[in-house]
Amino acid sequence: MTSAARPSGRPEGAAAVVIGGGLAGTTAALALADAGLRVTLVEGRPRLGGLVFSFRRDGAAGELTVDNGQHVYLRCCTAYTDFLKRIDAERLAPLQDRMDVPVLDADRMRLGRLRRTALPVPLHLARSLATYPHLSPAERAGVVRATLALKGLDPADPALDGVDFGSWLRRHGQSSRAVEALWDLVGIATLNATADDASMGLAAKVFKTGLLSAPGAADIGWARVPLGEVHDTLARKALEKAGVRIALRTRAEAVSRTDDGWQVSVVNGPHGRERLAADTVVLAVPQRETHGLLPDGALADRDRLLEIGTAPILNLHVVYDRKVLRRPFFAAVGSPVQWVFDRTHASGLAGSAEGAGGQYLAVSQSAAQAEIDDPVAKLRARYLPELERLLPAARGARVRDFFVTRERTATFAPAPGVGRLRPAARTRNPGLYLAGAWTATGWPATMESAVRSGTAAAREALTELGFPQGQLPQEAA
């Protein structure tokens, strides 16, 4: 290695290169810098945040700050909560005091709520489930039985990885209505797949951790400011304060071994090519990009990464000339609409002269394979009447702007069998590590999974460098 070793085996002044400035890469870079390494973070985009970002739009409703998609987290997402604290952003993404999800049945125009009490698990949801109007008494009883069966499963059991969640639900007496109004209501939003397309292992992880681990585990949090303010501006400030060199608009071309360690070849438009020497390299980019950068022999079967599919998320953005929704968000059943969030204040609409009295709603559509490539006009013709059906106040309101954001590869596809394809942080090559929500964190493709992967890669890297256990970044509970 390029640096001299201390008696403990820990190198003095070791250098690290982290490729990818999303949540995984940012987490890894912070952890390595906090341990005293000289860290360079390489990101091809002109910003940090990966697929969690904001942009400016100057449209018919004036200038807005738009999130590419609605992102939420739960109280059980302890790694992401720690990340928010680390970059001094926790106050900008508060959690509900208690889980409370308004659910509107579009066919009967009846509002139900999924909310918890302070009682211990599983009694914390008993009252809500007993009065949930979108299921019959028999279906509610069936949900209780399925929940008890779910409670006894181990999400890490490899046998569950090859089973689809939909088949398991049907074997446990769940009606199609119960799947739509409860299991898929939660599962599509967290897994980015319907029950029939989701690994039972990942579904068990979602429901056991979110609903059955602690009374407050499913309390919902989301950013009250643009995502870019959190995952770019504040993350960059934290990285710079930690001494990380941030190289934006810089693309990694190759990662190779040298006699002294590792070399990362990068391209920066204005500055041309550069070779970065490192003792440790973390690849925190999507699976296909990782496949292209990995040296031969780094994984037992590198091509398995190409078998990890992707799943899209579609977001519809609607600006009305008046307030049409009085809640911060709601979910719908019996409708193509999934989740709707009020983004008026976060976007800046509320504080602009052009936005006076108006409201900006973001409609988040996960598992959007059937619509991801539909033209805007077709989506507008389908969803504006549906929003009017769900929101009587929208009838007669003028739509000042309607636009669409599409993330065709928003997450890895949580299909049955994906667990065996997800690699661990450590590769076969000492000093080379993997991070990303798609790696083997045990979680679906969430912000929590991304942060956990960055921590895991940093822990492996620091262990290899000889850091004692007490000096490693702590894994979240």
Side-chain angles (χ1 to χ4, degrees):
M1 304 294 277
T2 56
S3 47
R6 292 181 177 177
S8 66
R10 191 178 88 186
E12 178 74 35
V17 173
V18 178
I19 302 172
L23 282 172
T26 298
T27 301
L30 283 170
L32 294 170
D34 288 345
L37 274 65
R38 293 179 290 109
V39 182
T40 299
L41 177 61
V42 175
E43 169 55 55
R45 301 178 179 91
R47 55 164 178 78
L48 300 177
L51 292 180
V52 186
F53 67 94
S54 307
F55 61 92
R56 299 292 290 175
R57 173 182 171 84
D58 191 5
E63 192 172 41
L64 302 175
T65 302
V66 177
D67 290 345
N68 70 312
Q70 179 64 50
H71 292 74
V72 304
Y73 72 105
L74 305 180
R75 195 179 297 277
C76 63
C77 297
T78 52
Y80 180 68
T81 300
D82 289 344
F83 174 81
L84 291 177
K85 292 176 183 176
R86 177 64 181 81
I87 65 172
D88 194 27
E90 188 181 22
R91 70 194 185 282
L92 302 179
L95 288 152
Q96 294 175 317
D97 292 334
R98 291 187 182 180
M99 182 194 80
D100 187 357
V101 180
V103 183
L104 181 62
D105 182 341
D107 294 326
R108 295 186 292 171
M109 288 308 297
R110 187 171 182 181
L111 184 69
R113 304 187 88 94
L114 292 172
R115 49 189 169 186
R116 74 168 179 92
T117 66
L119 293 173
V121 173
L123 299 177
H124 66 310
L125 295 174
R127 182 185 303 171
S128 176
L129 186 58
T131 58
Y132 190 52
H134 307 327
L135 297 178
S136 69
E139 286 168 333
R140 292 176 208 153
V143 166
V144 171
R145 289 192 295 271
T147 300
L148 292 174
L150 190 67
K151 197 173 189 303
L153 298 179
D154 177 5
D157 182 351
L160 297 183
D161 178 49
V163 178
D164 73 87
F165 186 37
S167 295
W168 186 91
L169 289 172
R170 285 187 289 275
R171 286 199 304 272
H172 287 80
Q174 301 306 286
S175 67
S176 59
R177 176 63 176 181
V179 172
E180 177 195 15
L182 183 65
W183 300 106
D184 264 354
L185 183 80
V186 175
I188 290 177
T190 52
L191 295 163
N192 198 20
T194 63
D196 284 340
D197 294 330
S199 157
M200 182 62 215
L202 287 174
K205 178 65 178 178
V206 165
F207 285 96
K208 284 198 68 174
T209 305
L211 298 180
L212 299 173
S213 63
D219 299 342
I220 300 173
W222 67 96
R224 306 309 202 269
V225 298
L227 289 170
E229 186 172 330
V230 176
H231 298 108
D232 182 16
T233 304
L234 289 179
R236 193 181 312 194
K237 182 178 178 180
L239 288 162
E240 290 172 345
K241 187 175 180 179
V244 175
R245 175 197 171 196
I246 303 171
L248 300 177
R249 295 185 174 90
T250 302
R251 179 173 55 85
E253 276 193 321
V255 177
S256 57
R257 289 292 299 267
T258 69
D259 292 340
D260 294 324
W262 289 93
Q263 180 176 275
V264 180
S265 300
V266 301
V267 179
N268 180 298
H271 305 292
R273 283 176 166 77
E274 183 181 1
R275 291 183 176 88
L276 306 175
D279 302 279
T280 287
V281 175
V282 177
L283 295 180
V285 290
Q287 55 267 35
R288 287 187 174 274
E289 191 173 343
T290 297
H291 178 272
L293 290 172
L294 277 175
D296 290 339
L299 294 179
D301 186 356
R302 185 175 64 178
D303 287 347
R304 276 192 172 189
L305 300 187
L306 300 179
E307 297 179 42
I308 303 174
T310 58
I313 296 178
L314 177 71
N315 284 270
L316 315 171
H317 307 263
V318 190
V319 182
Y320 291 98
D321 67 348
R322 67 192 71 171
K323 193 175 185 70
V324 300
L325 174 64
R326 300 195 178 278
R327 299 179 178 85
F329 71 93
F330 74 94
V333 296
S335 168
V337 169
Q338 294 176 13
W339 292 74
V340 180
F341 283 79
D342 180 1
R343 300 299 298 170
T344 306
H345 290 277
S347 69
L349 178 69
S352 68
E354 297 90 343
Q359 188 173 34
Y360 167 20
L361 302 183
V363 183
S364 182
Q365 302 291 107
S366 299
Q369 287 88 343
E371 295 182 314
I372 192 65
D373 292 317
D374 282 355
V376 173
K378 183 176 180 180
L379 295 169
R380 180 183 179 116
R382 183 180 194 193
Y383 282 97
L384 287 183
E386 192 62 24
L387 286 171
E388 290 185 5
R389 185 163 77 106
L390 295 169
L391 302 171
R395 299 164 194 169
R398 182 169 65 89
V399 176
R400 296 170 53 194
D401 202 359
F402 181 98
F403 57 99
V404 176
T405 53
R406 312 170 198 263
E407 292 295 343
R408 291 177 173 81
T409 58
T411 69
F412 74 84
V418 72
R420 66 178 180 82
L421 304 175
R422 299 172 73 183
R426 185 183 287 267
T427 71
R428 288 182 163 187
N429 297 138
L432 181 62
Y433 307 94
L434 306 181
W438 54 275
T439 60
T441 65
W443 287 70
T446 55
M447 295 188 294
E448 176 74 3
S449 183
V451 172
R452 284 177 179 265
S453 76
T455 301
R459 283 179 61 87
E460 293 286 1
L462 294 172
T463 299
E464 184 72 34
L465 289 171
F467 281 70
Q469 183 71 26
Q471 295 182 18
L472 301 179
Q474 295 302 303
E475 295 177 309

